[in-house]
Amino acid sequence: FGVGFNATSMGDAPWTIIADGQGNVSERVLQDQSPGEALPSSVYVLSNTVSDNIRTVTMFRSVVGKTAQYFTFPTTASGLPFINAVGSGPSLAYHKSKAPSSLQLVPDGAPACICGGKPLPFGTLAAKGVLTYVPTNQKGDIGEGTVGFSNACAKEPLSDLLTQQNPTCDIRTYVGGQLSCHHMWSLLDADQEIPWADTPLKYHLKYRFWYQEYTESPPSHKAIQRFGIGDLGAGRNGLGAEFDVPKCDDGVPGCARGADGTWIHTIQGVQQGKGNLVAAHFHCHAPTCLSMEIRNNNTGEVICRSTPLYGSSSQVTDDRFKEPGFIAVPPCLFGDAEYGLDAPPNLADFPIHIIKTSNATYGHHGEMAHSQFYFI
């Protein structure tokens, strides 16, 4: 059993107490989908008992954490979010059940004011809450659990989702997407039958790898780094991947008609670049994704533009890649002229303008505007 303090998910990297099946207590700083780093002990175990097959471990420690890696508990009236999980066995491993929750700390022996306040600002994580799966009585519906809401949206110029009041930015308007996609959660209306209850879902991925033999002297390869820039969606720190594509109409923010009359929804932002760009990969979803591109924000020059290619379309001219049912989102690559590539642009010299367009004939939840940039 484990408890992580001041967190709504493992991605918040909380200080965590874990009691194993023998009652041994350890402390860690968790990471997103990872057990993270073990810490020297700061707690003192007062008792460790088992009654009716339930283990109770009582411990204490100082209010102030030993270092910045240890949580310091507040000493004033406040809310304290935490995550807790039950393991699949007696040792630290993947959990079989998890949920976020919270404690409300109030003064001991002194009055505390509980009263209404001003409306909480939109899209800043000021409004707290959780998503709880409510199963139906269908045979195939075995989903369960609760997850914390961790989306916020950055202010302009980083992204214009907050200005557009995109529903993904705030739990009060959230209607579905990445945060609600979890193991065995069937995201259907309550009166819809689960169509695949007895039929496993299958999908296929195809990878192609191009490689160059490595030589040590002189070195034939350069080390590359990935920097976390270029995302336009909602996320824990204001920038992440997911957002809602609204069903467009006149007056809907971000919406305009394309040349063929199709409704197109656009989000964009300006962020500072880093280093010499050698590869730009973009992640977005069918069937809404139309394009992602980056430009030099000072000059308007297009540095990279990526559009999805459908295997059965006339856009694919190489017969090897004419594969109905497969979709590719080609990257932009930079390198040596002898390979027919443009020289890597130095994005540190200017801010980059990121633009994502989507087909908005129909609304779509959980669309993404995610960039994977690699630099030397």
Side-chain angles (χ1 to χ4, degrees), residues 256-265 290 305:
R257 288 196 182 273
D260 61 355
T262 300
W263 278 112
I264 296 176
H265 178 255
L290 294 179
R305 177 179 171 84

Side-chain angles (χ1 to χ4, degrees), residues 127-173:
K128 309 291 185 182
V130 297
L131 306 176
T132 299
Y133 186 78
V134 180
T136 64
N137 59 2
Q138 297 184 56
K139 172 186 174 182
D141 193 354
I142 59 175
E144 63 176 358
T146 298
V147 297
F149 186 85
S150 57
N151 277 354
C153 287
K155 295 180 179 179
E156 292 183 310
L158 297 177
S159 172
D160 59 1
L161 282 183
L162 191 63
T163 302
Q164 292 185 12
Q165 296 280 289
N166 194 275
T168 303
C169 296
D170 198 287
I171 191 168
R172 292 166 291 185
T173 53

Side-chain angles (χ1 to χ4, degrees), residues 86-128:
V86 177
S88 302
S91 301
L92 176 62
Y94 184 77
H95 44 64
K96 68 177 181 180
S97 182
K98 60 180 173 43
S101 191
S102 63
L103 294 171
Q104 190 63 42
L105 305 181
V106 296
D108 183 14
C113 177
I114 302 176
C115 50
K118 296 180 180 179
L120 298 174
F122 179 85
T124 63
L125 275 180
K128 309 291 185 182

Side-chain angles (χ1 to χ4, degrees), residues 265-291:
H265 178 255
T266 302
I267 63 172
Q268 54 192 316
V270 176
Q271 301 174 23
Q272 183 59 48
K274 297 179 180 179
N276 295 299
L277 181 68
V278 293
H281 300 259
F282 298 104
H283 178 96
C284 57
H285 295 172
T288 59
C289 181
L290 294 179
S291 69

Side-chain angles (χ1 to χ4, degrees), residues 179-195:
L179 291 183
S180 59
C181 290
H182 292 274
H183 183 58
M184 302 311 298
W185 285 24
S186 298
L187 303 181
L188 303 170
D189 291 337
D191 59 351
Q192 284 184 280
E193 291 188 7
I194 299 175

Side-chain angles (χ1 to χ4, degrees), residues 28-106:
R28 311 186 74 88
V29 172
L30 299 181
Q31 298 296 328
D32 192 17
Q33 311 301 319
S34 166
E37 175 188 353
L39 297 176
S41 177
S42 69
V43 302
Y44 299 89
V45 176
L46 298 178
S47 64
N48 174 13
T49 60
V50 177
S51 177
D52 295 330
N53 208 32
I54 297 176
R55 181 179 299 278
T56 301
V57 181
T58 304
M59 65 194 80
F60 80 97
R61 53 146 270 197
S62 170
V63 168
V64 179
K66 291 175 61 174
T67 69
Q69 290 182 297
Y70 298 78
F71 180 60
T72 292
F73 289 86
T75 56
T76 58
S78 62
L80 175 59
F82 67 90
I83 56 174
N84 58 135
V86 177
S88 302
S91 301
L92 176 62
Y94 184 77
H95 44 64
K96 68 177 181 180
S97 182
K98 60 180 173 43
S101 191
S102 63
L103 294 171
Q104 190 63 42
L105 305 181
V106 296

